[in-house]
Amino acid sequence: MPLFRTESDGNPFQTTGVDFASPLLYKISKKEQGKCYVLIFTCASSRAVHLELTKTHTADEFQQNLNAFIARRTRPKLVISYNAAEFKSTAEWIRKLCKSEKLQDY
């Protein structure tokens, strides 16, 4: 078992797993249905769960929900996910943010 799953830093969600649940259907009107997704954030050490509801499965939507998660919980040291396109593009977006001089000055 990986070390980050057995040893806790003291704060929950320092190591966070993230995944999308299968789409959920909801009723808009009698004949029309909509689709939404549940974004699941899990703490690797305590197995606590944080859920965010999303309309789409896109990188922009994921980035907005990641920002909401960080504002509500904490900024994780490590985020673990599978290699979906929205997660890969968000990882690239985070790397660009970390290299940004404006952000470093802030």
Side-chain angles (χ1 to χ4, degrees):
M1 189 175 299
L3 197 57
F4 63 81
R5 298 237 356 237
T6 58
E7 293 185 6
S8 175
D9 289 346
N11 295 329
F13 295 103
Q14 289 298 311
T15 302
T16 301
V18 64
D19 198 2
F20 278 102
S22 298
L24 301 173
L25 297 176
Y26 62 93
K27 196 175 205 179
I28 296 173
S29 65
K30 279 191 169 186
K31 296 182 180 180
E32 190 179 2
Q33 286 186 337
K35 191 187 295 188
C36 65
Y37 300 89
V38 177
L39 186 57
I40 305 168
F41 294 93
T42 58
C43 175
S45 59
S46 71
R47 305 310 295 165
V49 177
H50 176 93
L51 304 174
E52 291 282 338
L53 194 62
T54 65
K55 291 182 180 179
T56 61
H57 216 234
T58 62
D60 289 335
E61 186 88 21
F62 172 66
Q63 290 169 8
Q64 290 174 359
N65 284 292
L66 179 62
N67 286 335
F69 168 77
I70 291 170
R72 174 106 182 168
R73 301 291 178 182
T74 185
R75 183 176 50 90
K77 291 181 180 178
L78 178 65
V79 177
I80 302 166
S81 69
Y82 66 95
N83 290 323
E86 58 273 359
F87 297 138
K88 285 182 179 179
S89 64
T90 300
E92 185 61 34
W93 173 70
I94 290 172
R95 282 187 209 100
K96 286 180 184 177
L97 281 177
C98 289
K99 292 178 183 177
S100 169
E101 289 182 26
K102 281 185 176 181
L103 184 65
Q104 298 300 323
D105 291 342
Y106 180 73

